[in-house]
Amino acid sequence: MDDLKICCPKCEWEPDGLPYWQCDCGHVWNTFDTAAKCPACHKQHKLTICPVSCFALTPHLDWYKGLDKWLEEMVAQINEEVIVNT
Ligand SMILES: [Zn+2]
Ligand SMILES: [Zn+2]
């Protein structure tokens, strides 16, 4: 997954590893360390705010660029295997 890049879907700001995100429980952490799951209360956050650039609130998964391509390749691989086996 070398092509995987994390950036804001709106403005393409890339997280710099600092803890910008605050959970409802008050815990502050880098949400990309844990795929948007709060390490303190284990709440899974579906939306992620762009904390320093455009402040847009977008689905956490939309931040992962290259994931679609990776998924496509996986699906293509599975299809190939199916063809070989039949
Ligand atoms: Zn929490
Ligand atoms: Zn942004």
Side-chain angles (χ1 to χ4, degrees):
M1 299 220 292
D2 294 337
D3 294 339
L4 189 63
K5 179 184 158 191
I6 299 174
C7 67
C8 172
K10 299 271 181 216
C11 71
E12 305 206 319
W13 174 80
E14 291 181 43
D16 50 19
L18 295 175
Y20 294 110
W21 294 270
Q22 185 170 29
C23 180
D24 309 332
C25 75
H27 186 74
V28 176
W29 86 113
N30 172 17
T31 192
F32 295 99
D33 276 351
T34 60
K37 192 172 187 168
C38 173
C41 72
H42 303 294
K43 178 180 171 175
Q44 181 68 56
H45 293 265
K46 288 195 172 64
L47 297 173
T48 292
I49 195 165
C50 183
V52 294
S53 184
C54 74
F55 307 103
L57 195 61
T58 48
H60 185 76
L61 284 176
D62 285 2
W63 284 67
Y64 296 88
K65 306 292 171 188
L67 200 64
D68 295 348
K69 203 178 142 209
W70 173 77
L71 208 67
E72 261 171 41
E73 279 169 16
M74 289 296 284
V75 170
Q77 235 172 43
I78 291 163
N79 285 342
E80 264 171 40
E81 279 166 20
V82 168
I83 291 163
V84 167
N85 288 336
T86 47

